Amino acid sequence: MAYSLSSDTDLLSVEQQLMLLGIDESTYNDLRASVRESLGKGSLTPLLDIRIDIGGNKVLEMPCKLQFVPDNFGNHKLMVYPVINQLRNSTGLGQVSFNQLKKGEILILTNAPFDREFIQLDRETNNFLRIKEKDLKIEEKIASYEKVRDIQLGTEQKARIVAGKPVELHIGEETVTVGLDLKSPGMFKELKGDMESWKRRKEIEYDIAHPEYLGPVHTEKNRWEFLIAQKQAQGISTSHNLNPFENKESVHQQKTKTKSAIRI
């Protein structure tokens, strides 16, 4: 079950939230580059193995993904998505809608009048990514995209994006598909190619052909469970090889780096 390390009534800084997971500045710099980049951009991180000292010579180890999610006031809450072995329908949706989520679609839940949220499944952790419509500020994202691309989307195209559906665009000689993606930076994504390319990408991401796995083992070579199984099958110890805080730089290189605060 996903949970937040900050609340509306007890707002914590980015650094404070990471510290709750045992990630101080030194540990943060030792994280894989792909994890640091994802955290900095607000996208969903690759799988990593969090180790937290809970006292009494005990360490809690938890494979999970992290993501800083914005709210309506510009704050960023660190969401933790632990790996869940079995996918369960905890959304309250019917089977048809639940199957749509399993296929990679984004749906809208209406909790109350003026209280709607977008929901998307992360197949690797079997968690549901959620964000309230007011926090997503999708109209601003569309306007920003139009400005960057120097285009004007039609009313129907905007309505599809607001409804969580992808839209195929032809910009000059280029074909792209754009839409919401709660895993991506800004939760908005542009993919080169047509709608079929978008669908194929989703099928790869969610590994529909192999539901017995937690996620797309064919496309993410650094997948936590896949690497564990692979190393064990080869008779290789996993105690050190799969450390998610792997530091590939020398101690000298680390010491000559300029320390900087974690920014989002």
Side-chain angles (χ1 to χ4, degrees):
M1 188 71 177
Y3 59 92
S4 171
L5 293 182
S6 185
S7 66
D8 294 333
T9 57
D10 185 22
L11 292 174
L12 300 176
S13 68
V14 167
E15 291 86 354
Q16 288 173 323
Q17 293 177 75
L18 289 171
M19 280 293 294
L20 291 176
L21 293 178
I23 302 176
D24 57 17
E25 185 174 0
S26 174
T27 308
Y28 178 85
N29 289 332
D30 287 346
L31 289 168
R32 297 197 310 268
S34 58
V35 174
R36 296 198 308 269
E37 181 179 359
S38 296
L39 287 172
K41 290 183 176 180
S43 58
L44 191 66
T45 69
L47 279 167
L48 67 155
D49 199 7
I50 293 293
R51 297 180 179 89
I52 306 173
D53 186 352
I54 58 177
N57 294 323
K58 294 182 179 179
V59 176
L60 174 65
E61 185 171 333
M62 178 176 62
C64 64
K65 291 186 179 183
L66 307 175
Q67 184 178 25
F68 277 106
V69 177
D71 64 16
N72 194 37
F73 304 102
N75 303 306
H76 291 84
K77 297 180 181 180
L78 182 57
M79 296 298 300
V80 181
Y81 301 100
V83 171
I84 300 173
N85 290 330
Q86 185 175 355
L87 177 63
R88 294 183 176 85
N89 185 0
S90 59
T91 64
L93 293 172
Q95 192 60 44
V96 173
S97 297
F98 185 59
N99 287 338
Q100 288 178 292
L101 284 175
K102 289 166 66 177
K103 291 179 180 179
E105 295 185 31
I106 294 178
L107 299 184
I108 298 177
L109 298 181
T110 302
N111 304 313
F114 308 107
D115 183 14
R116 306 198 316 165
E117 64 177 352
F118 293 92
I119 181 171
Q120 180 179 1
L121 173 66
D122 175 52
R123 183 72 184 187
E124 281 198 284
T125 63
N126 284 328
N127 274 285
F128 295 102
L129 314 183
R130 299 170 180 255
I131 185 169
K132 290 186 178 296
E133 187 177 39
K134 65 178 182 179
D135 294 335
L136 187 56
K137 298 182 178 180
I138 187 169
E139 289 81 7
E140 292 183 13
K141 297 183 185 301
I142 293 175
S144 176
Y145 181 75
E146 288 178 317
K147 184 176 180 180
V148 169
R149 275 297 202 168
D150 193 22
I151 59 173
Q152 181 66 50
L153 298 180
T155 302
E156 185 177 341
Q157 291 173 320
K158 292 181 181 179
R160 280 187 58 83
I161 295 176
V162 170
K165 308 299 181 183
V167 172
E168 183 178 311
L169 303 175
H170 301 281
I171 305 175
E173 298 181 355
E174 185 180 19
T175 299
V176 299
T177 304
V178 299
L180 295 179
D181 182 4
L182 305 190
K183 302 178 181 182
S184 298
M187 301 190 173
F188 193 86
K189 183 175 185 178
E190 177 189 86
L191 178 68
K192 291 184 178 181
D194 58 15
M195 198 73 74
E196 288 303 313
S197 299
W198 181 284
K199 291 179 181 178
R200 284 196 298 272
R201 179 66 175 267
K202 290 297 181 181
E203 289 175 355
I204 292 174
E205 288 178 353
Y206 298 103
D207 204 13
I208 291 175
H210 298 274
E212 68 273 18
Y213 291 107
L214 288 174
V217 297
H218 302 292
T219 58
E220 288 200 16
K221 294 182 179 179
N222 65 338
R223 187 168 179 269
W224 187 82
E225 295 90 351
F226 178 67
L227 280 176
I228 289 285
Q230 185 183 57
K231 293 294 186 181
Q232 289 177 342
Q234 296 172 353
I236 301 174
S237 171
T238 61
S239 59
H240 299 290
N241 294 350
L242 299 177
N243 187 341
F245 304 124
E246 178 183 6
N247 181 13
K248 298 183 178 181
E249 296 176 320
S250 68
V251 174
H252 174 72
Q253 286 174 314
Q254 289 182 41
K255 289 182 178 179
T256 55
K257 277 187 173 181
T258 302
K259 292 188 177 181
S260 59
I262 303 165
R263 299 182 185 274
I264 297 296

